[in-house]
Amino acid sequence: MSIVTVQLGQCGNQIGGEVFNGICSDGRGTHGLCSKKENESYYDACKERFFWEEKSKVPVARAVLVDMEPKVISQTLSMAARSGYWKYDDRAHFCQKQGSGNNWANGYSVHGPKHKEVIMNLVQKEAEKCDRLSGFLTIMSLAGGTGSGLGAFVTQCLRDAFPTSFILNHVIWPYGTGEVIVQNYNSVLTLSHLYQSSDALLVHENDVVHKICAQLMNIKQISFRDANQVIAHQLGSVFQPTYTAEGGLHYSRNPLGDLMETLVPHPEFKMLGLRNIPQMPENSLAYSTFSWPGLIKHLRQMLIANAKMEEGIDWQVRPPCLGSSVPSSHSTNKPLHFNTSIANLVILRGKDTQSVDLGSFRDPSLYTSWLNPQDAFNAWKTPRAFNKYEKSASLVSNLLKPLDDVVGKAWNMFASKAYVHQYTKFGIEEEDFLDSFAALEQVISSYTNL
């Protein structure tokens, strides 16, 4: 089944381009460390998901590109065409000349309704090219105006037009120190609206990606492109074909459906985080060897200690012993810093994946009490190596992202009515802000009470 990607705003279009680039170069690569037949079936499954072919046999991305200014879209289109291995459909993009000025209300209330028909026609055409549609992957940032505001509007339109298709919103969390003065408003408004219409939100934090570039990839002067390639690598490690537990030796046919089934057991909990190890500069790969027990041990501790990368993990954090009592100074019965998940999915790629012991992820103390660990944990595997890594492991978890921080900062600004007039002039009232705060407080409270 196929996924239609909707790239929204500058950030969404730049990341989308890198995602298709990474997927295509991985699919075409001969570094798979597996049989020719295995390699071919992997590439075919990858193409069915993300590309369609025109007469020239060049794969065309199943994507719609939307931005309110033309520069980034034209750069993204020409970058794809220059690769020679894949391209975008020349007719599947929409841009304007005026931008959204980092204002969520402008994207949501003005550009959205004004351009709804054109954008949804492009999406409809792309969906009709799929033999079977698995659903939509939207890529957008939370901080700006087009990605966030127009992104939230388009997501609602997707839900109305395709009520039975899955929608996964991939969102980029802004730097904590700030890119845009109103980024916390934009984030709160976007997240609360997405929570109503999306099946799941997969979050990447700019601060974490920056750290990975600096500490693991050893990049001295980090550009947007460096950060986007790290994000694209991590997304590819999840969305490239794998064998699911039920599928036996057939590649998963419904990538988004399988992801939702394993990770979103309840509509109140739909925040997904992603970790991927190892990550290192390509020229170091030849000198590195990895063992599965080592990778799995690191990945599990990253989950428990809420570490975002394999460097600097706190090995002191332990899961609570079931039934143990905790000093009464804590009202909760979970040790400090311990990370409870609703569900976890481990994806293993490379050689000897069949013999890997994942029993440590079935530990009941990792999960909330109302789910059986057998249901809350799943593993997908493929003997096909990913992007030149002989062995690699990804972990997708359903757990709370730094939501209370963003909500807190936005609330402090809202309490003094800072910049609110910028939103009211486009028709977003103070009640809309309050509704959004209330919706996200409910999400935070549900996750905190696990």
Side-chain angles (χ1 to χ4, degrees):
M1 294 176 90
S2 306
I3 299 172
V4 171
T5 302
V6 184
Q7 303 175 186
L8 294 143
Q10 174 179 345
C11 171
N13 281 295
Q14 288 174 331
I15 290 175
E18 296 297 348
V19 168
F20 284 111
N21 235 358
I23 282 171
C24 191
S25 70
D26 172 58
R28 293 179 68 263
T30 51
H31 54 259
L33 305 177
C34 57
S35 69
K36 187 171 178 219
K37 183 170 177 253
E38 176 80 48
N39 233 355
E40 282 169 1
S41 70
Y42 180 87
Y43 186 42
D44 289 345
C46 158
K47 274 199 305 200
E48 184 198 9
R49 272 177 196 197
F50 291 105
F51 298 96
W52 54 276
E53 276 189 352
E54 49 178 24
K55 293 187 180 70
S56 68
K57 288 291 185 206
V58 176
V60 183
R62 299 184 187 275
V64 174
L65 294 75
V66 180
D67 198 2
M68 288 299 111
E69 41 202 4
K71 183 176 148 194
V72 172
I73 285 191
S74 66
Q75 286 171 347
T76 308
L77 292 174
S78 66
M79 180 195 86
R82 277 201 310 273
S83 78
Y85 301 128
W86 68 281
K87 62 182 213 177
Y88 284 107
D89 182 349
D90 298 331
R91 299 173 301 280
H93 60 87
F94 173 76
C95 55
Q96 291 291 289
K97 296 275 190 289
Q98 73 270 51
S100 300
N102 291 328
N103 188 322
W104 187 89
N106 195 359
Y108 183 84
S109 304
V110 180
H111 294 319
K114 186 173 170 189
H115 305 303
K116 172 182 175 181
E117 199 174 320
V118 190
I119 294 170
M120 290 311 290
N121 276 343
L122 292 175
V123 172
Q124 183 69 41
K125 280 182 187 149
E126 215 44 61
E128 284 167 3
K129 289 179 193 149
C130 304
D131 289 343
R132 296 209 310 262
L133 176 66
S134 174
F136 299 92
L137 168 66
T138 70
I139 307 180
M140 58 210 269
S141 116
L142 293 178
T146 302
S148 64
L150 186 64
F153 183 85
V154 168
T155 304
Q156 282 174 341
C157 296
L158 288 173
R159 177 48 73 226
D160 294 341
F162 301 92
T164 56
S165 295
F166 292 104
I167 301 174
L168 174 65
N169 291 96
H170 174 244
V171 295
I172 305 297
W173 209 270
Y175 285 103
T177 49
E179 302 154 58
V180 176
I181 189 86
V182 289
Q183 65 180 32
N184 296 310
Y185 281 168
N186 292 343
S187 300
V188 163
L189 290 162
T190 310
L191 289 165
S192 62
H193 281 75
L194 292 183
Y195 230 79
Q196 292 167 18
S197 34
S198 171
D199 290 297
L201 284 74
L202 179 59
V203 178
H204 264 111
E205 296 164 60
N206 267 339
D207 289 310
V208 174
V209 175
H210 200 91
K211 250 184 176 160
I212 290 173
C213 287
Q215 294 176 24
L216 299 184
M217 310 302 278
N218 298 329
I219 300 168
K220 297 289 173 275
Q221 300 204 300
I222 299 165
S223 67
F224 276 137
R225 182 147 197 218
D226 295 323
N228 293 345
Q229 283 174 343
V230 166
I231 293 171
H233 175 85
Q234 294 202 349
L235 286 178
S237 76
V238 171
F239 286 111
Q240 284 292 58
T242 51
Y243 302 125
T244 55
E246 286 77 39
L249 287 180
H250 294 286
Y251 279 120
S252 146
R253 295 311 303 260
N254 186 355
L256 289 179
D258 290 338
L259 205 64
M260 306 304 173
E261 187 186 342
T262 50
L263 287 166
V264 189
H266 188 287
E268 188 68 40
F269 303 97
K270 44 174 104 165
M271 301 281 276
L272 306 181
L274 168 54
R275 297 170 172 85
N276 167 262
I277 61 172
Q279 276 189 281
M280 59 176 57
E282 199 172 302
N283 52 11
S284 308
L285 280 175
Y287 310 105
S288 312
T289 53
F290 298 98
S291 72
W292 282 120
L295 288 173
I296 298 305
K297 185 180 176 188
H298 272 76
L299 205 54
R300 180 177 188 264
Q301 191 62 25
M302 284 165 73
L303 171 69
I304 290 171
N306 200 14
K308 305 300 193 302
M309 53 185 201
E310 67 258 46
E311 211 166 273
I313 302 174
D314 182 352
W315 290 91
Q316 302 305 311
V317 182
R318 292 265 179 278
C321 301
L322 289 178
S324 68
S325 60
V326 173
S328 56
S329 58
H330 309 319
S331 56
T332 69
N333 58 353
K334 288 278 164 72
L336 295 177
H337 309 305
F338 176 74
N339 208 8
T340 307
S341 338
I342 298 269
N344 287 309
L345 166 66
V346 168
I347 302 169
L348 306 178
R349 300 175 182 275
K351 58 192 216 185
D352 308 327
T353 50
Q354 291 315 314
S355 57
V356 181
D357 175 14
L358 291 168
S360 60
F361 276 98
R362 293 193 174 87
D363 177 351
S365 62
L366 298 180
Y367 300 96
T368 175
S369 56
W370 47 266
L371 271 182
N372 176 347
Q374 301 307 322
D375 301 325
F377 175 70
N378 282 275
W380 300 350
K381 302 174 183 179
T382 171
R384 166 75 165 58
F386 175 64
N387 252 347
K388 304 193 172 78
Y389 286 83
E390 179 188 63
K391 299 183 175 104
S392 64
S394 300
L395 170 67
V396 193
S397 313
N398 185 327
L399 39 82
L400 187 61
K401 296 308 262 181
L403 194 58
D404 36 2
D405 184 41
V406 165
V407 172
K409 286 176 178 169
W411 181 254
N412 288 342
M413 278 174 66
F414 184 73
S416 57
K417 300 283 181 278
Y419 300 103
V420 171
H421 65 282
Q422 305 278 15
Y423 292 76
T424 50
K425 70 181 181 191
F426 291 118
I428 295 294
E429 300 300 330
E430 288 184 18
E431 283 75 47
D432 297 315
F433 276 99
L434 292 170
D435 288 346
S436 291
F437 282 121
L440 293 185
E441 289 292 352
Q442 176 59 48
V443 173
I444 293 170
S445 137
S446 300
Y447 270 104
T448 316
N449 291 332
L450 284 177

